[in-house]
Short mmCIF file of all heavy atoms in Angstrom, two decimals:
data_model
loop_
_atom_site.label_atom_id
_atom_site.label_comp_id
_atom_site.label_asym_id
_atom_site.label_seq_id
_atom_site.Cartn_x
_atom_site.Cartn_y
_atom_site.Cartn_z
N LEU B 1047 -1.26 -5.90 1.14
CA LEU B 1047 -1.14 -7.28 1.53
C LEU B 1047 0.19 -7.79 1.00
O LEU B 1047 0.45 -7.80 -0.21
CB LEU B 1047 -2.29 -8.06 0.91
CG LEU B 1047 -2.34 -9.56 1.26
CD1 LEU B 1047 -2.38 -9.81 2.80
CD2 LEU B 1047 -3.55 -10.22 0.63
N GLU B 1048 1.05 -8.27 1.89
CA GLU B 1048 2.47 -8.38 1.52
C GLU B 1048 2.80 -9.80 1.02
O GLU B 1048 3.59 -10.00 0.15
CB GLU B 1048 3.36 -8.04 2.71
CG GLU B 1048 3.11 -6.65 3.26
CD GLU B 1048 4.36 -5.89 3.57
OE1 GLU B 1048 5.14 -6.37 4.29
OE2 GLU B 1048 4.46 -4.76 3.06
N LYS B 1049 2.23 -10.79 1.57
CA LYS B 1049 2.51 -12.14 1.13
C LYS B 1049 1.22 -12.90 0.75
O LYS B 1049 0.81 -13.82 1.44
CB LYS B 1049 3.22 -12.93 2.29
CG LYS B 1049 4.54 -12.25 2.70
CD LYS B 1049 5.20 -13.00 3.85
CE LYS B 1049 6.41 -12.32 4.35
NZ LYS B 1049 6.97 -12.98 5.54
N GLU B 1050 0.77 -12.51 -0.45
CA GLU B 1050 -0.58 -12.98 -0.85
C GLU B 1050 -0.54 -14.52 -0.99
O GLU B 1050 -1.58 -15.22 -0.77
CB GLU B 1050 -0.97 -12.34 -2.19
CG GLU B 1050 -0.77 -10.89 -2.24
CD GLU B 1050 0.52 -10.57 -3.05
OE1 GLU B 1050 1.30 -11.52 -3.33
OE2 GLU B 1050 0.68 -9.45 -3.38
N LYS B 1051 0.63 -15.00 -1.36
CA LYS B 1051 0.70 -16.47 -1.64
C LYS B 1051 0.32 -17.30 -0.40
O LYS B 1051 -0.10 -18.42 -0.55
CB LYS B 1051 2.15 -16.80 -2.03
CG LYS B 1051 2.65 -16.14 -3.29
CD LYS B 1051 2.03 -16.71 -4.51
CE LYS B 1051 2.60 -16.08 -5.78
NZ LYS B 1051 4.09 -16.17 -5.85
N GLU B 1052 0.41 -16.73 0.79
CA GLU B 1052 0.10 -17.40 2.01
C GLU B 1052 -1.36 -17.50 2.27
O GLU B 1052 -1.76 -18.12 3.31
CB GLU B 1052 0.85 -16.75 3.21
CG GLU B 1052 2.38 -16.83 3.10
CD GLU B 1052 3.02 -16.16 4.24
OE1 GLU B 1052 2.32 -15.71 5.20
OE2 GLU B 1052 4.27 -16.05 4.21
N TYR B 1053 -2.18 -16.92 1.42
CA TYR B 1053 -3.65 -16.92 1.63
C TYR B 1053 -4.32 -17.51 0.46
O TYR B 1053 -4.70 -16.81 -0.52
CB TYR B 1053 -4.11 -15.52 1.93
CG TYR B 1053 -3.39 -14.85 3.06
CD1 TYR B 1053 -2.33 -13.99 2.90
CD2 TYR B 1053 -3.83 -15.07 4.38
CE1 TYR B 1053 -1.61 -13.45 3.91
CE2 TYR B 1053 -3.12 -14.53 5.45
CZ TYR B 1053 -2.07 -13.71 5.20
OH TYR B 1053 -1.39 -13.13 6.24
N PRO B 1054 -4.56 -18.83 0.53
CA PRO B 1054 -5.05 -19.59 -0.66
C PRO B 1054 -6.38 -19.09 -1.16
O PRO B 1054 -6.62 -19.02 -2.36
CB PRO B 1054 -5.21 -21.02 -0.06
CG PRO B 1054 -4.38 -21.04 1.13
CD PRO B 1054 -4.33 -19.68 1.68
N GLU B 1055 -7.23 -18.63 -0.23
CA GLU B 1055 -8.54 -18.18 -0.67
C GLU B 1055 -8.41 -16.88 -1.44
O GLU B 1055 -9.11 -16.72 -2.45
CB GLU B 1055 -9.42 -17.87 0.57
CG GLU B 1055 -9.83 -19.12 1.32
CD GLU B 1055 -10.79 -18.79 2.49
OE1 GLU B 1055 -11.55 -17.80 2.34
OE2 GLU B 1055 -10.74 -19.44 3.54
N PHE B 1056 -7.51 -16.04 -1.04
CA PHE B 1056 -7.25 -14.83 -1.83
C PHE B 1056 -6.74 -15.17 -3.23
O PHE B 1056 -7.27 -14.63 -4.23
CB PHE B 1056 -6.17 -14.00 -1.11
CG PHE B 1056 -5.75 -12.76 -1.87
CD1 PHE B 1056 -6.42 -11.58 -1.80
CD2 PHE B 1056 -4.54 -12.87 -2.68
CE1 PHE B 1056 -6.02 -10.50 -2.50
CE2 PHE B 1056 -4.16 -11.76 -3.38
CZ PHE B 1056 -4.90 -10.54 -3.32
N VAL B 1057 -5.78 -16.02 -3.29
CA VAL B 1057 -5.24 -16.46 -4.60
C VAL B 1057 -6.36 -17.07 -5.47
O VAL B 1057 -6.50 -16.68 -6.67
CB VAL B 1057 -4.09 -17.49 -4.45
CG1 VAL B 1057 -3.66 -18.02 -5.77
CG2 VAL B 1057 -2.92 -16.89 -3.70
N ALA B 1058 -7.15 -17.95 -4.91
CA ALA B 1058 -8.24 -18.59 -5.62
C ALA B 1058 -9.19 -17.54 -6.19
O ALA B 1058 -9.60 -17.60 -7.39
CB ALA B 1058 -8.92 -19.60 -4.76
N GLU B 1059 -9.55 -16.66 -5.34
CA GLU B 1059 -10.56 -15.60 -5.75
C GLU B 1059 -10.01 -14.75 -6.83
O GLU B 1059 -10.74 -14.32 -7.77
CB GLU B 1059 -11.01 -14.82 -4.50
CG GLU B 1059 -12.42 -14.32 -4.64
CD GLU B 1059 -13.44 -15.45 -4.72
OE1 GLU B 1059 -13.25 -16.50 -4.07
OE2 GLU B 1059 -14.39 -15.27 -5.47
N SER B 1060 -8.77 -14.32 -6.73
CA SER B 1060 -8.23 -13.40 -7.76
C SER B 1060 -8.04 -14.14 -9.07
O SER B 1060 -8.21 -13.53 -10.16
CB SER B 1060 -6.91 -12.81 -7.26
OG SER B 1060 -5.82 -13.75 -7.38
N GLN B 1061 -7.74 -15.44 -9.00
CA GLN B 1061 -7.60 -16.22 -10.22
C GLN B 1061 -8.97 -16.42 -10.90
O GLN B 1061 -9.07 -16.43 -12.15
CB GLN B 1061 -6.98 -17.59 -9.97
CG GLN B 1061 -5.48 -17.48 -9.74
CD GLN B 1061 -4.86 -18.83 -9.41
OE1 GLN B 1061 -5.54 -19.82 -9.20
NE2 GLN B 1061 -3.49 -18.88 -9.40
N ARG B 1062 -10.01 -16.50 -10.05
CA ARG B 1062 -11.37 -16.67 -10.64
C ARG B 1062 -11.71 -15.45 -11.41
O ARG B 1062 -12.33 -15.51 -12.50
CB ARG B 1062 -12.36 -16.87 -9.49
CG ARG B 1062 -13.65 -17.50 -9.87
CD ARG B 1062 -14.29 -18.17 -8.68
NE ARG B 1062 -14.82 -17.20 -7.68
CZ ARG B 1062 -16.13 -16.85 -7.66
NH1 ARG B 1062 -17.02 -17.43 -8.42
NH2 ARG B 1062 -16.55 -15.97 -6.78
N ASN B 1063 -11.24 -14.31 -10.95
CA ASN B 1063 -11.54 -13.08 -11.75
C ASN B 1063 -10.78 -13.09 -13.10
O ASN B 1063 -11.34 -12.73 -14.11
CB ASN B 1063 -11.09 -11.91 -10.93
CG ASN B 1063 -12.16 -11.39 -10.00
OD1 ASN B 1063 -13.04 -10.59 -10.33
ND2 ASN B 1063 -12.16 -11.94 -8.72
N PHE B 1064 -9.53 -13.58 -13.02
CA PHE B 1064 -8.75 -13.67 -14.27
C PHE B 1064 -9.41 -14.60 -15.27
O PHE B 1064 -9.48 -14.31 -16.48
CB PHE B 1064 -7.36 -14.10 -13.96
CG PHE B 1064 -6.46 -14.18 -15.19
CD1 PHE B 1064 -5.91 -12.99 -15.74
CD2 PHE B 1064 -6.20 -15.32 -15.82
CE1 PHE B 1064 -5.18 -12.95 -16.86
CE2 PHE B 1064 -5.45 -15.36 -16.95
CZ PHE B 1064 -4.85 -14.17 -17.47
N GLN B 1065 -9.92 -15.71 -14.74
CA GLN B 1065 -10.60 -16.69 -15.64
C GLN B 1065 -11.81 -16.02 -16.27
O GLN B 1065 -12.11 -16.27 -17.45
CB GLN B 1065 -11.05 -17.92 -14.83
CG GLN B 1065 -9.93 -18.78 -14.32
CD GLN B 1065 -9.03 -19.24 -15.45
OE1 GLN B 1065 -9.47 -19.63 -16.51
NE2 GLN B 1065 -7.70 -19.19 -15.26
N LEU B 1066 -12.53 -15.18 -15.56
CA LEU B 1066 -13.67 -14.48 -16.09
C LEU B 1066 -13.28 -13.55 -17.28
O LEU B 1066 -13.85 -13.64 -18.35
CB LEU B 1066 -14.31 -13.66 -15.01
CG LEU B 1066 -15.53 -12.78 -15.44
CD1 LEU B 1066 -16.60 -13.65 -16.09
CD2 LEU B 1066 -16.06 -12.03 -14.25
N VAL B 1067 -12.23 -12.77 -17.06
CA VAL B 1067 -11.70 -11.96 -18.13
C VAL B 1067 -11.31 -12.79 -19.32
O VAL B 1067 -11.64 -12.44 -20.44
CB VAL B 1067 -10.50 -11.11 -17.68
CG1 VAL B 1067 -9.95 -10.31 -18.78
CG2 VAL B 1067 -10.90 -10.23 -16.50
N LYS B 1068 -10.65 -13.88 -19.04
CA LYS B 1068 -10.25 -14.73 -20.11
C LYS B 1068 -11.37 -15.25 -20.93
O LYS B 1068 -11.34 -15.30 -22.16
CB LYS B 1068 -9.45 -15.91 -19.45
CG LYS B 1068 -8.70 -16.74 -20.49
CD LYS B 1068 -7.83 -17.80 -19.74
CE LYS B 1068 -7.63 -19.06 -20.52
NZ LYS B 1068 -6.91 -20.10 -19.74
N SER B 1069 -12.46 -15.65 -20.26
CA SER B 1069 -13.61 -16.21 -20.97
C SER B 1069 -14.29 -15.13 -21.81
O SER B 1069 -14.73 -15.42 -22.95
CB SER B 1069 -14.60 -16.86 -20.00
OG SER B 1069 -15.30 -15.88 -19.32
N ILE B 1070 -14.30 -13.94 -21.29
CA ILE B 1070 -14.84 -12.79 -22.08
C ILE B 1070 -13.96 -12.59 -23.35
O ILE B 1070 -14.48 -12.44 -24.45
CB ILE B 1070 -14.94 -11.50 -21.21
CG1 ILE B 1070 -15.93 -11.73 -20.10
CG2 ILE B 1070 -15.29 -10.31 -22.12
CD1 ILE B 1070 -16.03 -10.51 -19.20
N VAL B 1071 -12.67 -12.60 -23.15
CA VAL B 1071 -11.78 -12.42 -24.25
C VAL B 1071 -11.99 -13.50 -25.32
O VAL B 1071 -12.06 -13.24 -26.51
CB VAL B 1071 -10.26 -12.47 -23.75
CG1 VAL B 1071 -9.40 -12.72 -24.95
CG2 VAL B 1071 -9.92 -11.20 -23.07
N GLU B 1072 -12.23 -14.74 -24.84
CA GLU B 1072 -12.37 -15.83 -25.78
C GLU B 1072 -13.64 -15.66 -26.64
O GLU B 1072 -13.65 -15.97 -27.81
CB GLU B 1072 -12.39 -17.19 -25.05
CG GLU B 1072 -10.98 -17.60 -24.66
CD GLU B 1072 -10.98 -18.72 -23.59
OE1 GLU B 1072 -12.04 -19.14 -23.16
OE2 GLU B 1072 -9.85 -19.21 -23.31
N SER B 1073 -14.74 -15.24 -25.99
CA SER B 1073 -15.92 -15.03 -26.77
C SER B 1073 -15.77 -13.86 -27.74
O SER B 1073 -16.36 -13.85 -28.83
CB SER B 1073 -17.22 -14.81 -25.90
OG SER B 1073 -16.89 -13.96 -24.82
N ASN B 1074 -14.95 -12.90 -27.40
CA ASN B 1074 -14.65 -11.80 -28.30
C ASN B 1074 -13.78 -12.28 -29.49
O ASN B 1074 -13.94 -11.85 -30.60
CB ASN B 1074 -13.94 -10.67 -27.55
CG ASN B 1074 -14.93 -9.68 -26.96
OD1 ASN B 1074 -15.24 -8.68 -27.55
ND2 ASN B 1074 -15.43 -10.01 -25.80
N GLN B 1075 -12.86 -13.17 -29.21
CA GLN B 1075 -12.07 -13.78 -30.24
C GLN B 1075 -12.90 -14.57 -31.24
O GLN B 1075 -12.81 -14.44 -32.42
CB GLN B 1075 -10.95 -14.66 -29.64
CG GLN B 1075 -9.81 -13.84 -29.03
CD GLN B 1075 -8.78 -14.75 -28.41
OE1 GLN B 1075 -9.04 -15.79 -27.77
NE2 GLN B 1075 -7.51 -14.40 -28.62
N ALA B 1076 -13.84 -15.34 -30.63
CA ALA B 1076 -14.73 -16.16 -31.47
C ALA B 1076 -15.57 -15.25 -32.36
O ALA B 1076 -15.97 -15.66 -33.48
CB ALA B 1076 -15.61 -17.01 -30.59
N ALA B 1077 -15.92 -14.09 -31.88
CA ALA B 1077 -16.75 -13.13 -32.65
C ALA B 1077 -15.91 -12.28 -33.59
O ALA B 1077 -16.45 -11.45 -34.28
CB ALA B 1077 -17.53 -12.26 -31.68
N GLY B 1078 -14.64 -12.49 -33.57
CA GLY B 1078 -13.78 -11.73 -34.49
C GLY B 1078 -13.55 -10.29 -34.06
O GLY B 1078 -13.13 -9.48 -34.88
N ILE B 1079 -13.77 -10.00 -32.80
CA ILE B 1079 -13.56 -8.64 -32.37
C ILE B 1079 -12.19 -8.49 -31.86
O ILE B 1079 -11.56 -7.39 -31.98
CB ILE B 1079 -14.60 -8.31 -31.21
CG1 ILE B 1079 -16.02 -8.36 -31.78
CG2 ILE B 1079 -14.26 -6.97 -30.60
CD1 ILE B 1079 -17.05 -8.44 -30.74
N LEU B 1080 -11.63 -9.50 -31.23
CA LEU B 1080 -10.21 -9.52 -30.87
C LEU B 1080 -9.51 -10.50 -31.75
O LEU B 1080 -10.01 -11.52 -32.12
CB LEU B 1080 -10.05 -9.93 -29.42
CG LEU B 1080 -10.61 -8.96 -28.36
CD1 LEU B 1080 -10.34 -9.49 -26.93
CD2 LEU B 1080 -9.93 -7.60 -28.44
#
Side-chain angles (χ1 to χ4, degrees):
Chain B
L1047 183 55
E1048 306 225 305
K1049 300 179 184 172
E1050 316 102 348
K1051 298 286 182 59
E1052 295 179 5
Y1053 304 95
E1055 293 185 32
F1056 174 86
V1057 172
E1059 208 61 39
S1060 79
Q1061 281 178 354
R1062 202 157 69 104
N1063 275 271
F1064 182 78
Q1065 291 304 318
L1066 176 59
V1067 175
K1068 192 173 150 185
S1069 74
I1070 294 177
V1071 162
E1072 284 168 353
S1073 42
N1074 272 266
Q1075 285 179 318
I1079 294 162
L1080 293 179

